[in-house]
Amino acid sequence: MVIDLTGDSDSEDQIRSQLHSNIKSATPNFFTHLAHRTPLPSVPLKRKSEKSPESELYDAFFNFRKKPLAPSVGSSAASSSAPHQNNKPNGCSIAPALQPSTPSPSPAITEQSLPAQVISVVVPSPSRQLKKEIESAKWAPSARKRGLKGAYPAARKVNRAAIPLPIGTPGPILKKRPEALDQQYRTLQRKLSMIKGPKVTCAPDDGLKLAKVTANFEFINSYKLHKGVSPAPAEFIGGCSCGKYCDPDRCPCSEKEDDSTENIIPYQRARDRPDLLVLTPEFLKRSTMIFECGAKCACDKGCWNRVVQRGRTVELEIFHTGNRGFGLRSPSYIRAGQFIDCYLGEVITKKHADIREDIALKNGHSYLFGLDFSPEVDEADIYVVDGQRFGCATRFMNHSCRPNCRMFTVTNTIGDERLYNLAFFALNDIPPMTELTFDYNPGTEKSTQVDSSVVACLCGEDNCRGQLWPSKRKGTK
């Protein structure tokens, strides 16, 4: 198969005429063996319907037509029938180079002797006519200039300061909130809806801000224990055998007074709501742990000594305070001593807490609370609660030097001194939509000199200490 890659080459008859003269001059005895010897004219003729044997031989030789040719006169039977052997592996063969000027006349070219699927590409040189056209071609001056400067025209110089920029009224596309913000807001609503108990909402105008802040925050309903943190074994957990309801004066779960056998009773019924249990005014002044009945106790779940474990009873709302970031409030009226909610997060070991505390010192925000209330637990073995990425609504409670809430340690697994709850109770009656606050560092005295390296206090109270300690782990003692 001959593929002509030039459209301006000589015609097929001219090429055949030139090759015929070359072959005839190189091999004078080649045509003497042919049956018909018809001399080719010097001028190429038109193709005829009936071709001479020489034409068929040339067509088969140069165009590789798969058509058997008659054996030449004078050739032996052995030479005409000898096939071309294919010694290449996998049936692949490489045809020997065919030289148009020196063909081999003795073996007859048959269909069996031609290799299968052999393609030859001939790229002839430009003809005389094409060479003349190339030499005489003249390029346009504009095209020559574009070729020198580049394919693209030069950019126009525009004085953009002199062009007015008309701004019309914003259309509906500018008024519409971006879809990404809507997706963040829907994600926030889904997270808040998964919190157990009375609903936790966000202020209507602060939803998008809170959605951005809580993009990497998850609301949880209980502690998230990490590696190295485990509750005490079940055999170490105690309980009472009071029956269906516990006797406050005799229940062994309650803490005893110092140098006395009397129980410390933490809860009482609210004056205006007998169904609501609140902390007693005396207990609000104490700094002791609240011991509630637990899973090992024989009393019913409706026992008076099961308050924190029954969960939150007030609605909460997260809102933006302005210069103090987000805060927490309740649309409900909260009574003095009423349980609000627990502080939740990841419970980690002190070793991991020290690493996170170093990071918090650089970023300026710490949500670490050390479970260091029990004096019998060594400082190096305590657990720490981190509310940075996992927690509940109380994570957004701000500090105040005159707070209306206080954190108490509460346990219902008596015997486990390393793992317990951090519960917030109201110190006084709190009207609806009042911000809930607690003291981050209770017992700290007011300082006359404010250190620039510590966090400034922005509570605005008349007894404001003016500063907080550097962003670090808070304690429960």
Side-chain angles (χ1 to χ4, degrees), residues 16-70:
R16 184 182 294 109
S17 177
Q18 295 175 6
L19 293 177
H20 167 71
S21 60
N22 294 336
I23 294 173
K24 190 171 182 180
S25 61
T27 55
N29 297 328
F30 174 72
F31 294 101
T32 58
H33 298 284
L34 298 178
H36 303 281
R37 297 189 301 274
T38 303
L40 293 175
S42 58
V43 180
L45 301 177
K46 295 183 179 180
R47 296 182 180 179
K48 298 181 181 181
S49 59
E50 295 181 359
K51 297 184 178 181
S52 61
E54 291 89 350
S55 300
E56 292 181 357
L57 179 60
Y58 286 125
D59 292 339
F61 187 80
F62 292 105
N63 296 333
F64 297 103
R65 293 182 180 179
K66 295 183 179 181
K67 180 179 179 181
L69 301 177

Side-chain angles (χ1 to χ4, degrees), residues 172 362 464 470:
K362 298 178 182 179
C464 179

Side-chain angles (χ1 to χ4, degrees), residues 264-269 277-286 290 304 336-338 408 425-427:
I264 300 175
I265 302 174
Y267 300 118
Q268 68 177 12
R269 298 187 183 277
L277 292 171
V278 296
L279 288 178
T280 64
E282 294 79 14
F283 200 92
L284 286 173
K285 301 176 183 179
R286 292 177 179 267
I290 301 174
W304 66 271
Q338 185 174 353
F408 286 84
F425 290 85
L427 291 175

